[in-house]
Amino acid sequence: MAKPLSPQPPPGAAADWTVPQNWAAYTPEDHATWDILFARQMRQLPGRVTDEFLAGVTTLGMDQPGIPDFARLSQRLIRATGWQVVAVPGLVPDAVFFEHLAHRRFVAGRFIRRRDQLDYLAEPDVFHDVFGHVPLLADPVYADYLQAYGQGGLRARGLGVLAHLARLYWYTVEFGLVKSAQGLRLFGAGIVSSHGESAFALDSPSPNRLGFDLARVMRTPYRIDDYQQVYFVINSFADLLEKTQNTDFAPLYAQLAGAADIAIDAILPDDAVLTRGTQAYAHGGA
Ligand code: PHE
Ligand code: FE
């Protein structure tokens, strides 16, 4: 059976699905919404987020008011690590997404959430995509990891085994924690761009916090509708890169194809347990 063709880009988008950011079209209200979200997270994150994140905010000049202009942001990012930020109209097909990452282009939504959506929205907006994801791209090791992930995505797609790899993205790029000499730190974009989860992920007794293990992560489903029930903790970006870039995932995919998923709140005998969560929040408590 032939593989279905990728859907065509929407009208107004280029063949690679990018669109102009149209920075001049943002209203004062749009910029003010960014400023509110930015100020709130920059109060919340010191002492919680990994140092590389705050360094990236400064290096990239993101501490200026207003929604960043992707062209100016990219100038700084290219100088730091060779990455760029490009605008897309919304979610893009997997192949398009991986192709951009593999070429050091981060695809970002250009719209910003409404004032009544400061705490939660289902689709990633420019605050999640740019504030959440871009600062760490100024870090050379993290930058290499995300490119390697894009290359791995293209390969996994060819093998027809994307679901397991998507969990690696979820539990690192979106919801990862990292050890530091001062204790656990946040680095996942889904956490750092969320006021609620940037407290919950570190402070709540509810979720499990487990040491990162590649095969284990790929067997663990995730939640898209609420705070995570399990967080995985990497030792460092260098360690994460080492454990993924130079590992051939093909035998792992073959092995995982026959393995059952692990329940989202399970703790296994081999897990390195940092926190054994109560799961009270997931069960309707605090
Ligand atoms: N080494 C992986 C493979 O063989 C590619 C990869 C690298 C995937 C980094 C994720 C992260 O497919
Ligand atoms: Fe994201």
Side-chain angles (χ1 to χ4, degrees):
M1 211 172 79
K3 271 196 196 153
L5 292 170
S6 278
Q8 293 304 303
D16 68 357
W17 286 66
T18 60
V19 291
Q21 184 193 9
N22 253 335
W23 188 82
Y26 291 119
T27 65
E29 159 108 2
D30 292 337
H31 288 299
T33 301
W34 171 282
D35 291 344
I36 291 169
L37 291 162
F38 182 89
R40 190 165 74 155
Q41 286 314 88
M42 291 304 278
R43 275 196 305 274
Q44 173 105 302
L45 292 176
R48 296 177 170 273
V49 77
T50 192
D51 291 343
E52 293 90 338
F53 180 92
L54 295 175
V57 169
T58 309
T59 305
L60 300 177
M62 290 175 66
D63 42 10
Q64 304 299 309
I67 299 170
D69 176 343
F70 293 180
R72 296 191 53 194
L73 188 59
S74 293
Q75 278 176 9
R76 298 227 192 183
L77 196 50
I78 286 167
R79 237 178 286 143
T81 57
W83 274 78
Q84 299 176 58
V85 180
V86 294
V88 287
L91 292 178
V92 301
D94 293 325
V96 174
F97 179 68
F98 295 137
E99 191 71 39
H100 281 297
L101 294 184
H103 291 91
R104 293 193 173 235
R105 291 186 300 263
F106 190 76
V107 297
R110 56 182 172 172
F111 80 98
I112 189 143
R113 67 194 73 185
R114 294 192 316 262
R115 236 13 117 71
D116 60 349
Q117 300 172 309
L118 291 184
D119 292 321
Y120 184 78
L121 81 170
E123 246 213 306
D125 71 341
V126 66
F127 186 74
H128 167 79
D129 281 339
V130 172
F131 180 81
H133 285 281
V134 173
L136 282 181
L137 290 173
D139 180 75
V141 182
Y142 185 89
D144 284 354
Y145 174 66
L146 204 57
Q147 178 181 24
Y149 185 90
Q151 292 164 340
L154 290 171
R155 182 172 183 225
R157 186 173 171 274
L159 298 169
V161 291
L162 267 187
H164 288 114
L165 188 68
R167 291 170 175 173
L168 175 62
Y169 189 89
W170 192 265
Y171 281 119
T172 60
V173 175
E174 294 292 354
F175 292 95
L177 304 183
V178 57
K179 286 178 192 161
S180 84
Q182 291 79 37
L184 295 189
R185 291 289 183 264
L186 312 171
F187 78 90
I191 306 178
V192 304
S193 64
S194 160
H195 191 64
E197 197 150 3
S198 52
F200 178 90
L202 287 182
D203 299 348
S204 171
S206 186
N208 297 329
R209 298 180 185 84
L210 308 175
F212 176 85
D213 176 86
L214 183 57
R216 203 293 183 200
V217 164
M218 293 213 263
R219 287 178 60 196
T220 311
Y222 54 80
R223 295 194 66 140
I224 57 165
D225 58 338
D226 206 337
Y227 300 154
Q228 300 305 304
Q229 288 181 247
V230 55
Y231 297 95
F232 290 96
V233 183
I234 63 168
N235 294 322
S236 64
F237 293 140
D239 190 48
L240 176 63
L241 183 64
E242 201 271 315
K243 284 177 172 149
T244 52
Q245 190 171 44
N246 301 325
T247 300
D248 180 1
F249 282 26
L252 203 54
Y253 294 138
Q255 182 193 318
L256 292 177
D261 282 354
I262 297 168
I264 197 164
D265 57 355
I267 293 186
L268 304 183
D270 284 347
D271 286 336
V273 182
L274 288 102
T275 309
R276 187 175 291 270
T278 62
Q279 298 296 331
Y281 174 82
H283 299 141

